[in-house]
Amino acid sequence: MPEMKYIGGYPEYMRELIKKVEKTRMKRKDYEPPAMSKKEREDTLKIHPDYAEGGKRKISVGPNKGEIAPNELADLLEAYPIIEENEVDLSRVDYDVDVLIIGGGLAGTSAALWANDQGISSQKILLANKLRHGDANSMMAEGGTQAADRPNDSPLIHYLDALGGGHFTNKPEVLQALAKDAPLIMNWLLEMGAIIDRDENGDFVERSGGGTSINRMHACRDYTGMEELRVMRDKFRNRDFQYLEYYPAVELLTEENGKVSGAVLWNCETGDYKVVRAKATIMATGGFGRLHIRGFPTTNHYGATCDGVILSYRAGAKLRDVDTVQYHPTGAAFPQQIVGLLLTEKLRSMGAQPVNKDGEAFVFPLEPRDVEAAALIKECYINEKGIITPTGMRGVWLDTPLIELKHGEGTIEKNFPGMFRMFNRCELDMRKDPLLVFPSLHYQNGGVETDPKGHTNVEGLFVGGEVSGGVHGKNRLMGNSTLDCMVFGRRSGINAAKYAKKAKKPGKLTLNHMKNYSSTLKKAGIKPERRAPILLPDYRGKAVLARMIDIF
């Protein structure tokens, strides 16, 4: 096979295709396709991975038995524990705390701070991280956080936008809490010193996102989640909380009556176990991007393997909306070393357009995420107007040079410094050249069902952030993920603290729920070869290396 010639980061044949994009750019500068009608959206969604055949099945055991879930998630829900009942000495308690928080992203860190504000000593709160404190999807969030804080906006309008975006399947009282608390959360971030983009008058720069009717997106350039977590971790460190790194939870602990009273942690480096007894336990482990649902690449961090959902489900927690998955419309499709990484929706809100191989703008850039993603997949696989990379991946152009045509020179470096540097390292200049994109597995829409206070149906177990289900329904709008983490991190932290203050010291710690679940699996004829949680993804072997998108 002849050696492929590259010019400025792109293969020569892609450079030729870019000429078509450049030829139509000035014509498209003041034009974009209109938003779809309700009927057009419904038709477009038929190509979405959630609707394609073969990707889901019924869950055969547990509280959600008979309901539908992606095959990859169902496999883990129907898996045996990774520890044996006699493997851990539960009589030796290593940490005895009021509140145990599992997960150290925005949700878990928020929960710790707000639980402490309720009067729980920082030394009676333990935050356990699978990796390092902050190794989370929160750190990778780029585009912004929604908050209705302008005179022409309100939490009610925010609520209605998110309800429509979720196809009216959101849990109303939980969504109401999200929209209502958003301005409070924004003020809290500012009090901690978060740097939020402002204009020359000192007013917030607020932008739109797909499915929003009013500009309410607050951002720190394209580092939003990183900046939010920066100020939280500073406050967390200053308060001298107990925390453990490289200690994922491998099983919850329950009492004879089924109440959750802590967890078993496992050290990734030494293989040692820690037994944590807690009056209240908050699950804040994030999502499941690294399950690579239907073979899709992912925007998610390395530890996003659905642990919290699996552990909570075995303890009896009900799930909600796990049949839907969010694919971000614009994941990187080239070059290979960054495939799947997030190219924030903020690019499209500032003028970048999805464009096919003929230089045509084929979709309104800010449709709700599931519709936008489906439109890109349709253009690549049905209309056959995508660009094929040297590895066989398909994508469309995201015409980023339009941003500076519309807003002036320097706009990209000012608003997207992280992304600009990432592509520069790949010898691509997003100010001059379009980027190749394709939908990437981004968000776990559902999870462990929560109420507005962060309670689950299992006593002693609370949830916050992406691990939970209810707030987003079947589809999440941009900027509601970081907000979800902080709103329900706060609410779960406050209510777990209140619960812990009134709770008696936990009784005898058991793994009875784990034993019972294993018996249920055995009765269902499920073989013990499959184990969960998987903790970290495995990228070895021919099957993994040959992974392809599985919807056609």
Side-chain angles (χ1 to χ4, degrees), residues 361-429:
F362 59 90
V363 63
F364 178 61
L366 291 175
E367 293 287 354
R369 280 186 175 171
D370 52 354
V371 177
E372 190 84 12
L376 267 65
I377 295 170
K378 183 178 181 180
E379 198 71 3
C380 289
Y381 283 91
I382 303 299
N383 298 337
E384 296 290 348
K385 288 194 173 186
I387 298 90
I388 300 177
T389 73
T391 62
M393 186 170 180
R394 302 186 190 195
V396 299
W397 300 115
L398 184 65
D399 196 12
T400 50
L402 273 174
I403 294 173
E404 299 213 334
L405 272 179
K406 293 181 177 184
H407 301 287
E409 190 175 333
T411 301
I412 284 177
E413 283 186 81
K414 179 181 177 182
N415 288 275
F416 307 101
M419 212 174 309
F420 178 73
R421 282 197 292 273
M422 178 174 73
F423 280 101
N424 260 2
R425 287 195 292 269
C426 301
E427 299 182 22
L428 296 173
D429 187 342

